[in-house]
């Protein structure tokens, strides 16, 4: 399911929009039904109250303490065989992203952010269903935008008919800033809280909002952003192509690259990280 969702993102937001439809996987593929079912669950159950409960449950960061590499290897126990196009474990995806960033000469914190960005998917290994871990993210507590993928599935969400939450601003104020907005629960928000004391703010924005496609592409929530968010989102926009388009069939050499990333992590992160 996780890889199917990521493939779906790539099809919706191709690197080269001039490619013909035939060059991308066909939406009539039965696998598309699995993606639709994923979003049906996600859009039905990601309510304001659900998010508040998950923040209370997980943001105490008391599930487990691990070194970075132990966490990466733990994440590798989450292997999804549903992606027919590429055979990569989670470490290899993280390395492909970060190595593409490093090859372009970006700062080392940017490289580390690329390596870390999906680490919050350990939520699946703590028993969370994938619809509460991956997928496009969006604000809760206000009207769901029709720019979110599969918006029709929000009809079953209780917040859709709750007058507290179904207006343009909902519980928020105009241009209140994303720091005051609750996002749908998933690996982005979780990892942001794990890393918020360690990385530069630009990297934290990349982590927290890298799945917020309704804003990346459609600017559907400009009314909630403040000027600081707009400045920081330039970094999110820089990051996303590395996440989406760094997949390649050549696997990174994990053994050779590990010492570099261990040294890099030691510059920014503590020896053990609380999850």
């Amino acid at each position: 399911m996780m890889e199917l969702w990521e493939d779906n993102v790539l099809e919706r937001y191709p690197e080269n929009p001039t490619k013909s439809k035939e060059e991308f996987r066909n939406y009539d593929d039965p696998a598309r039904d699995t993606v639709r079912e994923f979003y049906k669950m996600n859009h039905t159950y990601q309510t304001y109250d659900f998010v508040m409960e998950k923040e209370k449950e997980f943001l105490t960061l008391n599930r487990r303490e691990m070194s970075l590499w132990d966490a990466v290897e733990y994440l590798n126990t989450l292997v999804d065989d549903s992606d027919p196009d590429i055979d990569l474990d989670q470490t290899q995806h993280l390395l492909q992203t970060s190595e593409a960033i490093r090859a372009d000469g970006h700062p080392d914190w940017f490289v580390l952010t690329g390596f870390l960005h999906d680490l919050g998917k350990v939520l699946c290994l703590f028993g969370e269903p994938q619809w509460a871990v991956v997928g496009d993210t969006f604000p809760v507590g206000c009207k769901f935008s029709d720019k979110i993928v599969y918006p029709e599935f929000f009809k079953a969400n209780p917040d859709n008919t709750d007058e507290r939450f179904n207006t343009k601003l909902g519980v928020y104020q105009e241009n209140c800033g994303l720091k005051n907005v609750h996002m749908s629960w998933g690996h982005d928000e979780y990892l942001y809280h794990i890393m918020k004391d360690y990385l530069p703010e630009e990297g934290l924005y990349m982590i927290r909002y890298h799945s917020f496609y309704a804003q990346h592409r459609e600017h559907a929530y400009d009314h909630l952003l403040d000027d600081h968010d707009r400045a920081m989102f330039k970094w999110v926009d820089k990051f996303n192509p590395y996440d989406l388009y760094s997949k390649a069939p050549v696997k990174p050499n994990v053994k050779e690259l590990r010492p570099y990333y261990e040294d890099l992590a030691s510059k920014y992160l503590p020896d053990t990280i609380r999850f």
Side-chain angles (χ1 to χ4, degrees), residues 206-240:
M206 294 174 188
I207 287 171
R208 197 175 196 179
Y209 302 114
H210 72 270
S211 304
F212 189 9
Y213 288 101
Q215 182 59 31
H216 299 171
R217 301 286 176 155
E218 307 288 347
H219 302 284
Y221 290 93
D222 276 350
H223 55 285
L224 296 179
L225 272 60
D226 60 19
D227 289 342
H228 185 65
D229 292 323
R230 294 185 185 96
M232 288 293 105
F233 248 79
K234 295 174 183 177
W235 290 97
V236 181
D237 293 338
K238 286 183 180 181
F239 171 77
N240 272 58

Side-chain angles (χ1 to χ4, degrees), residues 63-268:
R63 286 294 188 283
R64 191 163 177 170
E65 288 193 21
M66 297 178 275
S67 70
L68 173 59
W69 212 267
D70 285 344
V72 170
E73 291 181 342
Y74 182 48
L75 186 62
N76 271 347
T77 66
L78 180 69
V79 177
D80 193 320
D81 295 327
S82 63
D83 183 352
D85 299 322
I86 195 162
D87 181 21
L88 293 177
D89 61 29
Q90 296 296 314
T91 305
Q92 289 164 340
H93 167 60
L94 295 176
L95 284 171
Q96 282 197 338
T97 302
S98 58
E99 283 296 284
I101 293 168
R102 182 157 70 127
D104 283 350
H106 290 294
D108 62 359
W109 60 262
F110 195 156
V111 177
L112 181 60
T113 299
F115 185 66
L116 296 171
H117 77 281
D118 275 347
L119 204 57
K121 291 178 183 178
V122 297
L123 280 169
C124 287
L125 303 175
F126 297 149
E128 291 299 280
Q130 289 199 11
W131 62 260
V133 177
V134 299
D136 288 19
T137 59
F138 45 85
V140 294
C142 60
K143 184 178 181 179
F144 300 114
S145 170
D146 61 4
K147 303 301 183 183
I148 302 169
V149 64
Y150 296 122
E152 64 271 22
F153 293 139
F154 285 115
K155 291 179 180 178
N157 188 303
D159 289 0
N160 191 53
T161 55
D162 191 319
E163 62 183 12
R164 296 172 297 169
F165 306 130
N166 65 1
T167 61
K168 180 179 179 180
L169 291 175
V171 300
Y172 308 114
Q173 301 294 319
E174 187 90 18
N175 303 125
C176 62
L178 291 178
K179 64 182 179 293
N180 296 308
V181 173
H182 293 276
M183 299 294 293
S184 55
W185 179 248
H187 74 283
D188 308 49
E189 186 69 12
Y190 179 54
L191 186 62
Y192 161 75
H193 284 276
I194 291 169
M195 294 295 165
K196 65 181 180 181
D197 293 332
Y198 307 125
L199 294 178
E201 187 176 17
E202 295 87 348
L204 294 174
Y205 260 77
M206 294 174 188
I207 287 171
R208 197 175 196 179
Y209 302 114
H210 72 270
S211 304
F212 189 9
Y213 288 101
Q215 182 59 31
H216 299 171
R217 301 286 176 155
E218 307 288 347
H219 302 284
Y221 290 93
D222 276 350
H223 55 285
L224 296 179
L225 272 60
D226 60 19
D227 289 342
H228 185 65
D229 292 323
R230 294 185 185 96
M232 288 293 105
F233 248 79
K234 295 174 183 177
W235 290 97
V236 181
D237 293 338
K238 286 183 180 181
F239 171 77
N240 272 58
Y242 294 108
D243 184 24
L244 294 180
Y245 309 132
S246 60
K247 280 188 175 183
V250 179
K251 298 179 180 181
N253 188 319
V254 178
K255 184 177 180 180
E256 287 184 0
L257 292 171
R258 177 170 173 167
Y260 168 80
Y261 284 93
E262 287 182 327
D263 286 346
L264 179 57
S266 69
K267 180 177 176 180
Y268 290 94

